[in-house]
Amino acid sequence: MPLLEVEDVVVRFGGVTAVNNATFTAEERRITGLIGPNGAGKTTCFNVITGLQRPTQGTVRFDGRNVTRMPVHRRSHRGMARTFQRLEAFGSLTVHDNVRVALDIAGGLRGVWRSQSAEADRLLERVGIADYAGERADAIPTGTARLLELARCLAGDPRLLLLDEPSSGLDEHETDAFGELLLALAGEGRAILMVEHDMDLVMTVCDDIHVLDFGEIICSGSPAEVRSDERVQRAYLGQSDEQDTRTDLAAFDATTVLPAVGVS
Ligand SMILES: Nc1ncnc2c1ncn2[C@@H]1O[C@H](COP(=O)(O)OP(=O)(O)O)[C@@H](O)[C@H]1O
Ligand SMILES: [Mg+2]
């Protein structure tokens, strides 16, 4: 049984259907990609999974249990953690203290109260930003701040990690290291669900990929299956009949997406 099951989820904001009958899963020990053009509904799916957004319809199951109406903090206590597309660290604290606060919160939830300074150092080392430990979180580069978010997530030792555009701001070398880290985290038994625009990274590390377009899952499969799917290519290339409504999509990460979908 997949750790996370999203079933028939619909989210409407007034007249806008942001997510339309989306059904997909994420499994332990696997990296699952959730990709799609801007505005496709990816972040809204994350909000539904984590409990920030109540769906108009549909079910979210975590570890076999229906959590659709469970509050955010209880889902987090059960092992869900996420990073945000917009960064959420405490700007006036150091990088090290940001992780320590996350560890204190996670420890407090379990009734553990002791200094976790060494554990904070270990997590910073693990995500590769130990050099920034003493810097204020609002003074570090965006890519580093994303890794800090990941370290804060890991403080809770989550079973499911939801990452919203984690590699933006990382250079090529950092992205490679980040891919290795994701593989290691999945290898520990965690399920990783990742929204990501860097198609090289997605195609390299993901075991399974779901493609959202206008709120609908138009394709689910392995990287090879997704890459060769005609609907996926149309969604990214804007070559469908609705082309004129998709001017936005043409600009969407064309440089990284086009080679990745194998169209020149
Ligand atoms: N709180 C909201 N109120 C109204 N419309 C929203 C809200 N959040 C998202 N949307 C709309 O829902 C659609 C999907 O948005 P989003 O999930 O952020 O897409 P993505 O993350 O794939 O870029 C977009 O059309 C967006 O404008
Ligand atoms: Mg988004």
Side-chain angles (χ1 to χ4, degrees), residues 42-43 85 164-165:
K42 305 178 296 295
T43 296
Q85 192 173 355
D164 202 347
E165 303 195 15

Side-chain angles (χ1 to χ4, degrees), residues 210-226:
H210 307 288
V211 185
L212 266 179
D213 188 34
F214 288 112
E216 292 183 24
I217 299 283
I218 57 167
C219 179
S220 291
S222 67
E225 286 164 341
V226 164

Side-chain angles (χ1 to χ4, degrees), residues 31-234:
I31 303 177
T32 304
L34 183 62
I35 65 170
N38 278 324
K42 305 178 296 295
T43 296
T44 305
C45 282
F46 268 26
N47 290 342
V48 169
I49 293 165
T50 52
L52 289 175
Q53 174 68 51
R54 181 162 292 185
T56 312
Q57 176 192 307
T59 309
V60 178
R61 259 189 293 277
F62 184 59
D63 200 15
R65 175 179 181 154
N66 186 339
V67 298
T68 317
R69 289 170 177 272
M70 187 182 277
V72 177
H73 69 278
R74 285 188 49 214
R75 295 185 207 207
S76 136
H77 194 38
R78 299 183 76 85
M80 269 192 204
R82 84 175 280 183
T83 62
F84 286 85
Q85 192 173 355
R86 193 168 49 82
L87 297 164
E88 304 269 331
F90 299 114
S92 63
L93 295 185
T94 63
V95 165
H96 178 269
D97 283 346
N98 263 279
V99 177
R100 241 184 58 193
V101 167
L103 283 164
D104 284 346
I105 292 169
L109 282 170
R110 291 192 221 101
V112 177
W113 297 105
R114 58 179 159 76
S115 168
Q116 309 226 50
S117 188
E119 178 63 8
D121 287 335
R122 194 189 66 82
L123 285 173
L124 292 178
E125 193 74 51
R126 176 137 210 222
V127 303
I129 59 169
D131 288 351
Y132 292 89
E135 309 230 355
R136 273 174 63 123
D138 58 8
I140 58 177
T142 311
T144 309
R146 292 200 183 281
L147 295 172
L148 171 57
E149 284 241 315
L150 177 57
R152 279 158 42 90
C153 276
L154 293 176
D157 195 18
R159 299 178 65 190
L160 171 65
L161 256 178
L162 299 129
L163 307 174
D164 202 347
E165 303 195 15
S167 89
S168 59
L170 300 182
D171 66 27
E172 208 176 316
H173 174 72
E174 291 167 329
T175 302
D176 288 347
F178 178 69
E180 293 296 320
L181 174 61
L182 291 181
L183 291 166
L185 290 169
E188 291 169 358
R190 303 178 210 273
I192 299 177
L193 180 63
M194 168 168 77
V195 166
E196 180 53 56
H197 283 177
D198 180 335
M199 287 302 126
D200 285 341
L201 176 64
V202 168
M203 294 294 164
T204 309
V205 304
C206 288
D207 300 290
D208 311 292
I209 299 175
H210 307 288
V211 185
L212 266 179
D213 188 34
F214 288 112
E216 292 183 24
I217 299 283
I218 57 167
C219 179
S220 291
S222 67
E225 286 164 341
V226 164
R227 207 189 274 123
S228 60
D229 187 278
E230 216 178 285
R231 288 161 303 172
V232 175
Q233 297 186 7
R234 271 207 303 271

